[in-house]
Amino acid sequence: MTHTLSRRPLRRFWGWGHADATLSAQELSTLGLMLSQLDVGGALRPEPQLHEFTLAPSRVQPPAALAHLFSATPLDRLNHSAGKSFADCARMWLRQPPPAPDWVVYPDNEQDVVDVLDWAVRHNVAVIPYGGGSSVCGGVEVAVGGGYTAAISLDMERMHRVLEVDPVSRAARVQAGALGPELAAQLKTHGLALRHFPQSYEFSTLGGWIVTRAGGHYAMQYTHIDDFVECTRLVTPQGVMQTRRLPGSGAGPAPDRLVLGSEGSLGVLTEAWVRLQVPPVFRASASVKFDDYGAAAQCLRALSQSGLNPSNCRLLDAMETVVSGVGDGSCAVLVLGFESDDHPLHAWMARALALVDSYGGRYDAAAVARSQEGPGSQEHRIGTAGAWRDAFLRMPYWRDPMVGQGAIMDTVETAITWERFADFYRDVRAELAAVIERTTGMEAMVSCRITHVYPDGVAPYFTFACGTRDGSVASALAAWRDIKQAANAVLVAHGGTITHHHAVGRDHRSGYDREVDPLFRAMLASAKHTVDPQAVMNPGVLVDPVGRPLGLTGVLGSA
Ligand SMILES: Cc1cc2nc3c(=O)[nH]c(=O)nc-3n(C[C@H](O)[C@H](O)[C@H](O)COP(=O)(O)OP(=O)(O)OC[C@H]3O[C@@H](n4cnc5c(N)ncnc54)[C@H](O)[C@@H]3O)c2cc1C
């Protein structure tokens, strides 16, 4: 029986991963431990099943010429009704999903995209572009208010090819719907790689990364998708905008900068030229323990300002080492690494360790030596760095059953300059814990890892978890709404940004509106009005369309 027009392996509509994904015995035992620490008990609840969901009928008929691209199977519609945030997952466990798109549309090529937008404009249909659906801020939710005839989700999965490779300049022209592994497999045949690795790599796309300004797992330098983009191609309701392929240009404001971070509100990104790299063969890694978090942060700053540019430089506070499975909570851990396809890294690591020594960091010198043994060394895959990487990639899988048990587990990420970091770290953790405890009546676990480092500041990523008094998913979701709004306010009030790499979407609108100058928001709304005068493109994200005041939509709003 066909449940979906998707050609990809079946995804779980209620959470992360493929439909047949399971947890290992070890992961189940860690999950049990985590739940008991949060005072959440009981046998694991039954996972949501497709037959438990009833969707409203589709409100429009697809155009005859494009009907073969349109799907309204319950699985397709449910799969595209939400992203992968805590609230998305909780609403699925409650069997109360957000409104589903009337249709899911799978364009085969750019002309299909043009034709679909043309039809949507003529029929007042809202269009929600969809890459991998890994948004954690309501970016793909069909929350567009009552002003539209219908809403469709435009899934880019069939546009996943590498179209051209330029080995001289080391760049490739790639369709926007390529998932991380699809892109890597095609580039590997050319001996090249993008090397942009967000935690969601497996289930997110090049197009999604570009329009959300994603951050990869490298701590410094080549990690933001912004830096990999040479040029872009955007299909808007008013025509196609192609930018020029150049290594750099001083010709006025950069057009690509408007596409980066546009979150589907200006048009559909169909392809981009991206800068590539040769995969590294030389590596050096170290896992450094610090008893004093303040000293660890100072060491991080020294490293970030040294010009050494480590590829990995993640500082986990003591609580975060427990969450990440790399420590027992007794000290902070700095995961440090260098990579190169060109030269051994002994000198870089030696200088970095000298800095570490001067701030009182402790490390296993033999393990560091093993990591530098050359191309054959597996040290970066084992030891603390490997354990951290494995836990990092598996974490989303065991978040889902925690949500089903009525636990709240979520993250907020931000950025702040160095001179304000110490106070920021202290105050945000304390205020998050206080609001969680006030809202749920339960003790909160709040941890922090520094995901990205700059010479002038850091990107702290806070994880919080707690139970609820009655252990119900409904209570957890109600509490989460208050916590999320409070967290949005706290981050901006203390001088941070509402998001360092997760984007604005619908759930971060309240912080974005506080943070960004009203004049700039008006300019953005004008730009949107120019390319999308009927305001059909992803209404509700980033800014209100001119003439259609939507305000807050999605799980935190009313529209
Ligand atoms: C477990 C987990 C881990 C994550 N880790 C990271 C991380 O390490 N770094 C990071 O930056 N983010 C991370 N995220 C957030 C998310 O993966 C990113 O925002 C990612 O860039 C979204 O890509 P996507 O293809 O899934 O886009 P989607 O979720 O499908 O869409 C995101 C937004 O982009 C728009 N969009 C998508 N494709 C197009 C297109 N072709 N044209 C126009 N608009 C489009 C959508 O309308 C939506 O507004 C994580 C999310 C999860 C669930």
Side-chain angles (χ1 to χ4, degrees), residues 194-417:
L194 180 65
R195 298 197 67 69
H196 174 72
F197 297 117
Q199 187 185 24
S200 54
Y201 170 80
E202 217 182 336
F203 300 111
S204 55
T205 61
L206 177 69
W209 299 339
I210 292 175
V211 302
T212 61
R213 302 185 63 197
H217 86 191
Y218 292 109
M220 290 197 77
Q221 281 210 310
Y222 303 111
T223 190
H224 284 282
I225 197 68
D226 309 31
D227 300 326
F228 295 106
V229 172
E230 252 186 2
C231 70
T232 53
R233 193 168 167 85
L234 191 75
V235 174
T236 80
Q238 289 293 292
V240 179
M241 184 177 90
Q242 170 74 60
T243 67
R244 291 190 63 203
R245 209 192 138 203
L246 291 165
S249 166
D256 287 320
R257 288 270 155 203
L258 206 56
V259 176
L260 283 155
S262 58
E263 302 192 23
S265 67
L266 300 179
V268 181
L269 184 80
T270 51
E271 53 184 73
W273 273 92
V274 286
R275 302 185 173 103
L276 304 176
Q277 300 171 63
V278 175
V281 283
F282 298 99
R283 289 188 169 88
S285 60
S287 164
V288 184
K289 292 181 177 164
F290 287 92
D291 295 323
D292 176 358
Y293 185 74
Q298 283 184 42
C299 179
L300 194 65
R301 178 163 67 87
L303 285 164
S304 74
Q305 295 174 345
S306 66
L308 291 166
N309 293 324
S311 52
N312 204 350
C313 197
R314 295 207 169 209
L315 177 61
L316 319 182
D317 72 6
M319 179 63 89
E320 181 72 21
T321 67
V322 180
V323 177
S324 302
V326 301
D328 58 8
S330 60
C331 61
V333 170
L334 172 67
V335 183
L336 185 61
F338 292 90
E339 287 185 359
S340 170
D341 66 293
D342 183 68
H343 47 259
L345 296 149
H346 298 84
W348 281 259
M349 184 53 100
R351 176 61 194 138
L353 291 179
L355 286 172
V356 161
D357 288 338
S358 65
Y359 288 96
R362 294 174 277 115
Y363 52 89
D364 175 349
V368 176
R370 281 196 302 278
S371 78
Q372 300 179 92
E373 277 168 3
S377 171
Q378 291 299 307
E379 190 60 28
H380 64 287
R381 295 202 185 282
I382 54 181
T384 309
W388 171 79
R389 185 178 166 277
D390 292 347
F392 176 69
L393 293 175
R394 290 296 298 174
M395 201 174 293
Y397 287 89
W398 50 265
R399 192 263 326 245
D400 295 345
M402 290 189 67
V403 179
Q405 293 306 103
I408 301 174
M409 187 174 190
D410 200 7
T411 60
V412 290
E413 40 81 53
T414 182
I416 189 87
T417 45

Side-chain angles (χ1 to χ4, degrees), residues 7-229:
R7 296 170 185 175
R8 287 185 170 144
L10 208 55
R11 292 276 305 278
R12 212 174 239 175
F13 67 85
W14 53 271
W16 192 244
H18 290 125
D20 56 1
T22 51
L23 291 181
S24 68
Q26 171 68 44
E27 286 171 330
L28 279 169
S29 123
T30 312
L31 173 67
L33 212 63
M34 291 272 307
L35 287 170
S36 74
Q37 275 168 2
L38 297 178
D39 217 4
V40 175
L44 289 186
R45 293 176 179 149
E47 295 168 355
Q49 303 293 325
L50 186 60
H51 66 80
E52 297 171 309
F53 294 80
T54 307
L55 306 181
S58 302
R59 294 167 293 179
V60 280
Q61 282 306 307
L66 300 170
H68 61 290
L69 309 175
F70 280 58
S71 167
T73 68
L75 184 56
D76 269 338
R77 293 180 66 203
L78 209 47
N79 240 330
H80 291 78
S81 60
K84 300 297 174 194
S85 70
F86 165 83
D88 298 333
C89 193
R91 286 179 290 177
M92 292 298 179
W93 278 99
L94 284 170
R95 281 71 170 169
Q96 292 165 8
D102 293 270
W103 294 89
V104 179
V105 186
Y106 295 93
D108 278 317
N109 52 50
E110 190 175 284
Q111 189 57 49
D112 287 343
V113 176
V114 171
D115 293 343
V116 169
L117 294 199
D118 182 50
W119 167 81
V121 166
R122 281 187 284 107
H123 293 84
N124 187 33
V125 173
V127 179
I128 320 294
Y130 188 97
S134 67
S135 170
V136 279
C137 54
V140 291
E141 194 166 329
V142 189
V144 298
Y148 295 86
T149 312
I152 59 167
S153 180
L154 190 76
D155 188 322
M156 299 297 287
E157 73 155 62
R158 294 185 186 174
M159 297 176 65
H160 63 263
R161 291 184 184 80
V162 172
L163 301 172
E164 229 175 307
V165 173
D166 171 354
V168 178
S169 308
R170 289 213 316 217
R173 181 159 72 97
V174 185
Q175 289 183 307
L179 293 173
E182 291 174 342
L183 178 55
Q186 293 175 77
L187 292 176
K188 197 173 177 189
T189 61
H190 299 270
L192 293 166
L194 180 65
R195 298 197 67 69
H196 174 72
F197 297 117
Q199 187 185 24
S200 54
Y201 170 80
E202 217 182 336
F203 300 111
S204 55
T205 61
L206 177 69
W209 299 339
I210 292 175
V211 302
T212 61
R213 302 185 63 197
H217 86 191
Y218 292 109
M220 290 197 77
Q221 281 210 310
Y222 303 111
T223 190
H224 284 282
I225 197 68
D226 309 31
D227 300 326
F228 295 106
V229 172

Side-chain angles (χ1 to χ4, degrees), residues 431-507:
E431 287 183 33
L432 267 179
V435 75
I436 293 167
E437 282 162 19
R438 208 167 48 241
T439 315
T440 62
M442 305 284 280
E443 199 182 333
M445 188 216 76
V446 182
S447 65
C448 178
R449 64 176 185 258
I450 304 296
T451 58
H452 300 84
V453 198
Y454 305 88
D456 58 341
V458 282
Y461 185 104
F462 298 92
T463 298
F464 57 87
C466 67
T468 48
R469 284 222 181 277
D470 66 3
S472 75
V473 182
S475 301
L477 181 61
W480 176 88
R481 284 190 167 98
D482 292 340
I483 296 167
K484 182 73 181 172
Q485 285 290 34
N488 284 355
V490 165
L491 291 181
V492 180
H494 285 280
T497 174
I498 186 63
T499 174
H500 173 262
H501 56 263
H502 280 172
V504 176
R506 295 178 170 79
D507 301 351

